[in-house]
Amino acid sequence: ATSASDDLQTAVSSSNMAPQKAAKRIGQGMAVPLAKKPKMDPACKGIIEAVEQANDLSENCRKMLLACIPKAFGTASDDRHETQAIMVKMVGEVLEEVQAKLQQAVDVEQAKVGGIESRKGQLETTLASAEAQLAVTAQEAKAKEATMAEATNAEQSAKALLQEKQEAQKTGDAAIVLAQEEKTTIEQVMATSLHAIVEGQSDDAVRHCSALAPFLKDVDESLMSALPSSCMKKISERGSFDAMVLDQIGTHFKDKFAALSRALDEAAPAAQQRAAAVAEAQAELNGASALRQTAAVGLNVAKAAEQSALVALQVAKDALAAHEPEYLQATGARDDKAAELENFKLYNMASFELLRYRTSAKAIAGA
């Protein structure tokens, strides 16, 4: 089997042999001027440019094809001899190979674009997911802010209620505190100064008598006048009047102590209610504070998630933006290859098809 280059060499040799014999015959007779070189059809330029793009051809094959193109394609299809017809067919095969390679180049670039578009799609999906996640986290943060505000208001209200109950307790218990203090003091005075005076067990009668005075403001004036004298006397020196004075003083202290005890007993239920109200308000405040602290933790977590979502969104945007130049470069390269292929079809192949089947004027007239 012979190669296309061998066939081409044979065809070119055959095409060149006839003119050489004719030249010899002319030389044996008379000398004649050489015929003018025929004008090349403009469409041949497109065919020649196409053959020049055939990188797989050897340099010799290319030169032979280029040398034969003007005459082979300049001759109408019905006037071509067998060698010229072979040339036309060979050129057609070369152009088809060139076009196939151009198409392959387009396919390669399109595959690159496809891969980049796939990555772009993934990046766009990631961006959409990041946007959706940000929307979710922003909504969650907003909800947590509302919960935090509600918890803060509840805590403030609980604080105000506790303060109110504490003020009510302080006001309501003020008289009780004074009564309890007075009762305690009276009890101490009765156990010390009054006991010492009645029993005559102390040499410091003046001090003990002075200790009784603050609690005797509502005692009869005559009794108060006689008290210092009775206090100064020893038991052996006291008369019936002194005994009566000290007895009434003792009864006064006992009555006062009993009255304070009754008052405290009567005030106890209300005091207990106020204390219970304070304890309840304190418990409510403790619960409200715990809820506010929980809300604060939830808000911090939500804010952190929102911030992370913002960072992820920015990363996705940056990745897509960085991908765009690569995508534009790839589509540009593909479009350039496609334009080159389209130009080859519209110009080079069209020129080939135009001259490939062109018929002579006589064939047209005969038809």
Side-chain angles (χ1 to χ4, degrees), residues 59-105:
E59 190 61 27
N60 289 334
C61 289
R62 189 194 318 278
K63 289 180 179 180
M64 285 186 286
L65 280 178
L66 293 175
C68 296
I69 285 173
K71 189 170 183 180
F73 285 89
T75 304
S77 60
D78 54 306
D79 290 338
R80 292 176 190 145
H81 52 69
E82 183 180 358
T83 301
Q84 292 174 329
I86 293 174
M87 284 293 174
V88 170
K89 181 181 178 182
M90 288 184 175
V91 170
E93 292 173 351
V94 170
L95 266 62
E96 288 176 357
E97 291 179 359
V98 173
Q99 181 171 310
K101 288 187 176 297
L102 291 175
Q103 180 64 58
Q104 183 181 8

Side-chain angles (χ1 to χ4, degrees), residues 170-299:
K170 182 178 180 180
T171 302
D173 290 355
I176 295 176
V177 171
L178 292 176
Q180 183 62 54
E181 289 176 353
E182 186 177 4
K183 178 186 174 182
T184 300
T185 303
I186 287 175
E187 187 176 18
Q188 291 175 347
V189 170
M190 289 173 65
T192 55
S193 296
L194 181 60
H195 179 75
I197 291 172
V198 171
E199 297 297 328
Q201 297 177 351
S202 175
D203 296 332
D204 195 1
V206 176
R207 181 175 65 81
H208 289 305
C209 186
S210 298
L212 301 180
F215 304 99
L216 302 174
K217 294 179 181 179
D218 53 346
V219 174
D220 183 75
E221 185 177 349
S222 60
L223 189 62
M224 287 296 296
S225 298
L227 179 61
S229 175
S230 298
C231 289
M232 298 302 175
K233 296 177 181 179
K234 296 181 179 180
I235 295 179
S236 59
E237 297 174 352
R238 294 173 187 169
S240 59
F241 179 77
D242 297 321
M244 181 272 295
V245 169
L246 294 177
D247 183 62
Q248 288 188 10
I249 293 298
T251 299
H252 177 78
F253 269 93
K254 292 177 183 178
D255 291 344
K256 197 168 188 65
F257 182 83
L260 289 172
S261 296
R262 286 193 303 272
L264 289 172
D265 291 341
E266 292 172 357
Q272 292 172 355
Q273 290 179 354
R274 289 189 292 271
V278 169
E280 183 179 354
Q282 183 64 61
E284 184 175 346
L285 174 59
N286 293 341
S289 297
L291 289 177
R292 184 195 60 76
Q293 291 173 359
T294 301
V297 172
L299 178 59

